[in-house]
Amino acid sequence: MPDAPLKQVHAPTVSPRPSACPGLWRIVSARDGGICRIKLPGGLLLAEQAEAVASAAERYAAGVIEATNRGNLQIRGIGSDHAGLIETLLAAGLGPREAASDDVRNLMLSPLAGHDPAMLLDVRPLAGQILDLLQGTPRFHQLSAKFAVQLDGGERLAMLEHPHDLWLSALRLEQQTWLAFGLAGSPSSRALGAVPLAQGLALVRAVLERFLDLATPEQVRMRQLLEACSAEHFIDGLGMQIRRDAALLGWRRAPADSPWLGALDQYQGMALGVAPPLGRFNPAMLRGIAQVAREQGDGSVRLSPWQSLVLTNVDPAGIQQAQRTLSALGLLCHNHEPLARIVACTGASGCAKAHGETKADALALSGLLPMGAPASVHLSGCSRSCAMAHTAPATLLARSPGRYDLYLRDARQPGFGALRATDLTLNEAGAMLALPTEHLDD
């Protein structure tokens, strides 16, 4: 944050390029008002920035703040003063000084990047270079607002299921650090090649340039381009020496096995994972988090792809008190809490496409799920699956108010997986989800 006050910045007189995807400079209308998405650099949010978001949500909107599944924040229910909201967020350092740079800042890291004891690499320096490249290269501003990159340092706390247009993952081969990479997938999938760590930024630049060289206007995501262009042809044209030997092609990213709530191990000290119920903060929650981050941590938090956040460098002696304070504000601090296993989209009160009130129904369902229910249950108001970027173990897809179809994840089937039951009430869905998995397959 700069020491001197920032000069006032006015909203652009010409809106950024059309898109249905909200950004900081582009507020998109919804049934409950405008939506502004704040893309955080590597998920990082300083305590004073959290307070600025809380104040902005109160002053310019309905006080609803959401954690997204890409480690960002968004404000809902925004009124007519869009310029005032944008100026407030920019003054807090929460966005680029130019509208054209906002859309492309889609770079996801582990919330414990640089702190995870299992990491092979502190990815934060390279992440900063990639963000500078994305923001500072006018040609890359042509990328879709959904085009996304993941940089994985081998952390134990890592999201390995979200698909990205380009992913990079650290690995050690022959006592050297390499970056394996893949296209239109995630680090849990097979790597297509690798480059030495020192060439990581050059690889990102080459991939983005080649994508823009080859893609038609309709091919806005890597998966669409790869339907017409093989991955091998794409890689052959990068103009770089890519490692593709048996040692690399036989490599698989180790599974992530760390919970994201509660006390978390750091390389030094402890971290604390907390989450707003169903991904929604109120201003008091954000202010409480900011206060705890200052008093017990390093004055910052990191948003996660689980619609949660992590307070880093927390004094181990203060972990339990921090949890009590944040629990009293309504935040989830333990993995065993029922709502920690449920994800829900905005629902019909905020989205015209939703067929049910998924947030309210998720609250009701949380009282029906016993211990041992699926690790994650996803309530989606429509087939777009806005609340979850990967397939949950169990998905309830709304078909009408209070009625859902139940799907179970099945690697052999696309989308939500295998359809197991239709037109269920919440009580019927809860009863089915309480059954052992083998009975759900009957």
Side-chain angles (χ1 to χ4, degrees):
M1 296 290 291
D3 295 327
L6 294 172
K7 65 179 181 180
Q8 188 180 45
V9 176
H10 296 283
T13 56
V14 179
S15 297
R17 60 182 178 169
S19 173
C21 189
L24 188 149
W25 291 84
R26 181 179 52 249
I27 296 174
V28 174
S29 296
R31 180 171 282 177
D32 56 349
I35 305 173
C36 172
R37 183 166 298 156
I38 305 163
K39 295 185 177 181
L40 303 172
L44 177 63
L45 182 71
L46 305 180
E48 56 267 30
Q49 292 175 327
E51 292 166 338
V53 172
S55 296
E58 287 176 328
R59 181 175 179 182
Y60 300 104
V64 176
I65 306 147
E66 293 180 327
T68 77
N69 59 33
R70 297 285 182 184
N72 295 312
L73 286 175
Q74 60 187 30
I75 298 174
R76 298 192 68 95
I78 298 167
S80 59
D81 189 0
H82 292 187
L85 173 68
I86 293 169
E87 290 170 3
T88 297
L89 297 176
L90 287 175
L94 287 164
R97 310 307 294 175
E98 297 181 3
S101 301
D102 188 36
D103 277 344
V104 296
R105 300 186 310 138
N106 299 322
L107 176 63
M108 194 172 81
L109 312 180
S110 164
L112 278 182
H115 298 281
D116 196 302
M119 68 184 183
L120 301 176
L121 170 69
D122 182 350
V123 298
R124 293 175 297 176
L126 178 56
Q129 293 175 338
I130 293 173
L131 284 171
D132 288 344
L133 176 71
L134 290 167
Q135 294 178 139
T137 308
R139 191 184 184 206
F140 295 158
H141 301 168
Q142 301 172 32
L143 293 168
S144 163
K146 293 183 179 296
F147 195 99
V149 180
Q150 181 175 6
L151 180 56
D152 164 45
E155 300 90 357
R156 190 161 57 235
L157 180 61
M159 170 54 74
L160 302 180
E161 296 183 280
H162 280 13
H164 284 75
D165 296 276
L166 168 65
W167 61 265
L168 305 98
S169 187
L171 74 155
R172 295 282 292 175
L173 290 174
E174 299 150 1
Q175 299 183 329
Q176 276 188 283
T177 301
W178 296 73
L179 288 172
F181 70 93
L183 306 173
S186 69
S188 62
S189 54
R190 174 178 168 268
L192 297 176
V195 297
L197 173 60
Q199 295 182 26
L201 185 65
L203 173 68
V204 174
R205 181 189 294 275
V207 168
L208 299 184
E209 289 178 342
R210 181 138 174 86
F211 174 83
L212 291 173
D213 286 343
L214 296 177
T216 67
E218 294 75 27
Q219 294 167 335
V220 297
R221 303 298 301 275
M222 186 67 75
R223 66 175 184 273
Q224 295 167 328
L225 174 61
L226 295 183
E227 291 173 358
C229 165
S230 71
E232 289 73 17
H233 177 69
F234 186 98
I235 292 171
D236 288 343
L238 290 177
M240 297 181 64
Q241 187 171 355
I242 305 295
R243 179 169 182 166
R244 306 188 70 193
D245 61 359
L248 181 279
L249 296 178
W251 171 82
R252 290 293 182 272
R253 199 324 189 157
D257 61 0
S258 176
W260 55 88
L261 295 181
L264 307 171
D265 289 334
Q266 283 191 183
Y267 184 69
Q268 292 181 325
M270 296 292 292
L272 176 61
V274 301
L278 301 175
R280 283 196 169 176
F281 300 97
N282 59 41
M285 288 176 177
L286 267 190
R287 291 192 177 102
I289 289 165
Q291 182 177 353
V292 171
R294 283 197 187 96
E295 294 177 354
Q296 302 288 348
D298 58 13
S300 69
V301 299
R302 286 152 178 82
L303 273 291
S304 91
W306 295 278
Q307 295 179 294
S308 65
L309 57 83
V310 173
L311 291 81
T312 47
N313 296 316
V314 177
D315 180 359
I319 286 279
Q320 290 187 350
Q321 180 56 52
Q323 288 179 308
R324 287 191 291 268
T325 299
L326 297 175
S327 290
L329 291 171
L331 289 152
L332 307 175
C333 297
H334 303 280
N335 286 290
H336 65 260
E337 297 179 74
L339 277 175
R341 292 180 286 145
I342 301 180
V343 176
C345 67
T346 298
S349 61
C351 177
K353 291 183 170 62
H355 300 298
E357 290 290 1
T358 49
K359 292 287 191 194
D361 289 346
L363 285 172
L365 183 67
S366 68
L368 303 173
L369 293 181
M371 296 297 291
S376 177
V377 180
H378 172 207
L379 280 76
S380 188
C382 73
S383 60
R384 295 184 305 160
S385 188
C386 294
M388 183 166 275
H390 65 277
T391 304
T395 298
L396 291 171
L397 178 62
R399 58 186 299 157
S400 61
R403 315 288 296 202
Y404 289 85
D405 294 341
L406 172 63
Y407 293 81
L408 295 184
R409 182 164 60 191
D410 186 334
R412 299 164 297 181
Q413 302 205 32
F416 296 123
L419 179 64
R420 293 303 181 212
T422 62
D423 202 25
L424 299 174
T425 65
L426 284 178
N427 284 336
E428 290 168 340
M432 286 199 70
L433 290 170
L435 294 172
T437 302
E438 59 268 21
H439 293 301
L440 284 171
D441 291 334
D442 292 343

